[in-house]
């Protein structure tokens, strides 16, 4: 018996209690099989309340990833693939990019077992609590402009989250998004270049967003949060994914104008702040005075010398 049939019975009785034995009887299956299948549905994001010994109440499917719903809201046609589990959606698309000419495709995973962050870190990607997505594009842009894509994607993602949640996300240089002082989103952009032609061959934009409440470990709980915890809301990941892709397309069309950089600077919360900046193994205390039109960090160091950095990691705010 397919889980869809159990799902259909539950959906037909939305907000009402349906007993496990009733479902089992209708479908001629065992009570324990119903129980197992309902558990799977819950794991896949269906909001089904289990009432002890009595049965189940179907509430909603707002948490369920759905490629059709994502495609419907895209301004520019793209292929959308949803994977149950993968090591990393960035790895998946990088392999595809190397071995084909595919362009404009979004891959989303319910769960990543090898999610990667910047600087070789892990990105925890617990099943169906967040968005783990990558977009493959082959933009016709020079290397100079391609360097700014990271900032462009940060702005686009930040704007998309704000639009869907009505919250006010901020950017921590280079590409972390924060809500109320804690991280909710990380971005990892990877690409391959054709040095001879000075152009990008392909770009894989990886975005990870903490959407629904999860029990972070002791270390993460101090630094990370979720949209649900900060906004007290359950968003539709489908809507947010489409909006992110639309915002990225919008800013890519106007990339030559550098318009996104104005927005990037407006949303950056570290300008004027003293921070600890890590570059390789070296850490230094600096005061951020600006982010320039190339997206570089302009700082004054402890010797009062002005310095400009195009890469690095802000490891903490200095009080
Ligand atoms: C960071 O916080 O340093 C960047 C995190 C990027 C995570 C996303 S999730 C989808 C894509 N696949 C990955 O393995 N990483 C990115």
């Amino acid at each position: 018996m397919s889980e869809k049939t159990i799902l259909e019975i539950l959906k037909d009785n939305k907000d009402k209690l349906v007993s496990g034995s009733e479902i089992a009887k209708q479908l001629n299956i065992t009570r324990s099989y119903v129980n197992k299948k309902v558990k799977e549905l819950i794991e896949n994001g269906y909001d089904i309340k289990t009432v002890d010994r009595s049965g189940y109440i179907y509430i909603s499917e707002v948490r369920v990833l759905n490629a059709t719903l994502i495609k419907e809201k895209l301004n520019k046609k793209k292929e959308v693939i949803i994977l149950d589990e993968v090591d990393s959606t960035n790895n998946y698309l990088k392999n595809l990019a190397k071995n084909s000419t595919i362009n404009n495709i979004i891959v989303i995973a319910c769960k990543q077992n090898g999610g990667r962050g910047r600087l070789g870190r892990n990105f925890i990607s617990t099943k169906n609590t967040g968005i783990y997505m990558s977009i493959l594009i082959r933009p016709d842009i020079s290397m100079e402009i391609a360097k700014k894509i990271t900032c462009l994607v940060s702005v686009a993602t930040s704007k998309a989250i704000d639009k869907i949640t009505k919250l006010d996300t901020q950017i921590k240089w280079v590409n972390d998004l924060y809500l109320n002082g804690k991280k909710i989103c990380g971005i990892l952009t990877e690409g391959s270049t054709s040095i001879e032609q000075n152009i990008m061959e392909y770009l894989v934009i990886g975005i990870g967003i903490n959407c629904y409440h999860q029990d972070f470990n002791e270390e993460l709980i101090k630094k990370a949060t979720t949209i649900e915890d900060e906004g007290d809301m359950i968003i539709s990941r489908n809507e947010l994914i489409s909006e992110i892709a639309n915002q990225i397309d919008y800013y890519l069309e106007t990339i030559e104008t550098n318009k996104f950089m104005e927005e990037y600077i407006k949303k950056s919360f570290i300008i004027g702040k003293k921070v600890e900046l890590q570059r390789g193994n070296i850490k230094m205390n600096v005061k951020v005075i600006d982010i320039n039109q190339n997206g570089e960090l302009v700082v004054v160091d402890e010797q009062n010398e002005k310095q400009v950095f195009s890469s690095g990691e802000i490891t903490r705010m200095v009080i």
Side-chain angles (χ1 to χ4, degrees):
M1 193 50 56
S2 77
E3 80 179 21
K4 188 150 181 276
T5 321
I6 296 175
L7 182 61
E8 272 170 6
I9 296 176
L10 290 169
K11 271 187 177 179
D12 289 347
N13 292 283
K14 189 172 182 304
D15 295 324
K16 285 187 225 139
L17 182 75
V18 188
S19 78
S21 45
E22 213 177 301
I23 300 174
K25 200 172 148 200
Q26 263 196 56
L27 300 176
N28 200 20
I29 50 180
T30 63
R31 174 80 181 77
S32 65
Y33 185 76
V34 175
N35 197 30
K36 181 175 159 242
K37 285 290 164 190
V38 172
K39 266 195 190 141
E40 277 174 25
L41 287 170
I42 294 171
E43 261 183 43
N44 287 331
Y46 288 92
D47 206 350
I48 299 168
K49 205 168 152 194
T50 310
V51 184
D52 261 357
R53 291 174 193 284
S54 322
Y56 315 99
I57 305 173
Y58 176 90
I59 297 165
S60 92
E61 57 184 66
V62 69
R63 295 174 201 239
V64 181
L65 286 171
N66 181 321
T68 312
L69 293 182
I70 295 169
K71 277 191 199 165
E72 267 171 15
K73 294 216 165 144
L74 289 177
N75 293 341
K76 273 189 163 180
K77 203 166 166 261
K78 285 182 185 52
E79 195 176 333
V80 175
I81 296 179
I82 297 177
L83 304 170
D84 198 38
E85 184 168 344
V86 72
D87 57 347
S88 147
T89 52
N90 268 30
N91 292 353
Y92 183 95
L93 277 188
K94 273 164 61 180
N95 282 333
L96 207 62
K98 279 180 214 152
N99 299 311
S100 72
T101 53
I102 290 180
N103 192 8
N104 285 319
I105 169 169
I106 308 178
V107 169
I108 305 136
C110 296
K111 174 182 174 177
Q112 294 184 122
N113 52 44
R116 295 188 290 109
R118 290 177 63 238
L119 307 170
R121 294 198 196 106
N122 296 334
F123 185 81
I124 302 209
S125 317
T126 324
K127 189 163 186 183
N128 284 320
T129 59
I131 290 175
Y132 319 119
M133 69 183 276
S134 300
I135 308 178
L136 166 64
I137 53 170
R138 298 181 189 267
D140 187 12
I141 51 172
S142 71
M143 295 297 300
E144 267 315 296
I145 294 193
K147 281 186 203 153
K148 301 183 196 173
I149 291 253
T150 297
C151 294
L152 182 149
V153 174
S154 306
V155 173
T157 309
S158 175
K159 289 262 172 188
I161 298 175
D162 292 359
K163 189 167 167 190
I164 299 291
T165 63
K166 311 279 177 289
L167 297 169
D168 184 17
T169 50
Q170 292 189 297
I171 300 172
K172 192 188 94 178
W173 186 86
V174 186
N175 54 3
D176 285 336
L177 301 190
Y178 273 61
L179 258 179
N180 304 328
K182 286 183 172 180
K183 181 167 165 173
I184 52 140
C185 168
I187 295 163
L188 178 66
T189 314
E190 300 179 286
S192 165
T193 51
S194 159
I195 308 286
E196 308 88 63
Q197 289 164 328
N198 188 38
I199 51 158
M200 292 300 304
E201 273 172 6
Y202 67 80
L203 209 63
V204 171
I205 300 164
I207 303 168
I209 306 174
N210 305 328
C211 294
Y212 310 134
H213 175 80
Q214 57 176 302
D215 295 320
F216 289 120
N217 63 32
E218 236 175 79
E219 199 203 328
L220 271 183
I221 209 159
K222 293 182 223 142
K223 301 186 201 159
T225 188
T226 68
I227 291 176
E228 179 176 358
D229 289 310
E230 298 308 315
D232 199 16
M233 65 182 84
I234 301 290
I235 53 136
S236 153
R237 285 178 295 169
N238 303 315
E239 273 178 27
L240 183 50
I241 291 165
S242 314
E243 188 57 37
I244 291 169
N246 290 342
Q247 293 279 349
I248 291 176
D249 281 340
Y250 167 76
Y251 283 112
L252 274 176
E253 272 166 23
T254 54
I255 192 167
E256 311 274 347
T257 65
N258 234 21
K259 184 177 180 302
F260 65 92
M261 204 57 89
E262 272 166 47
E263 312 263 3
Y264 182 90
I265 294 166
K266 260 194 239 158
K267 278 187 155 283
S268 292
F269 69 86
I270 46 130
I271 299 176
K273 303 259 166 54
K274 285 188 177 161
V275 300
E276 181 183 78
L277 179 68
Q278 181 166 357
R279 303 193 75 240
N281 289 330
I282 299 165
K283 285 186 178 177
M284 54 186 120
N285 285 342
V286 296
K287 182 171 179 192
V288 180
I289 52 172
D290 201 4
I291 291 174
N292 67 21
Q293 288 301 310
N294 294 323
E296 294 163 329
L297 198 68
V298 185
V299 305
V300 176
D301 66 16
E302 281 175 312
Q303 286 71 46
N304 233 4
E305 296 283 332
K306 187 174 156 183
Q307 296 203 50
V308 179
F309 295 111
S310 59
S311 64
E313 172 91 345
I314 291 171
T315 33
R316 67 183 174 90
M317 311 298 285
V318 180
I319 314 286

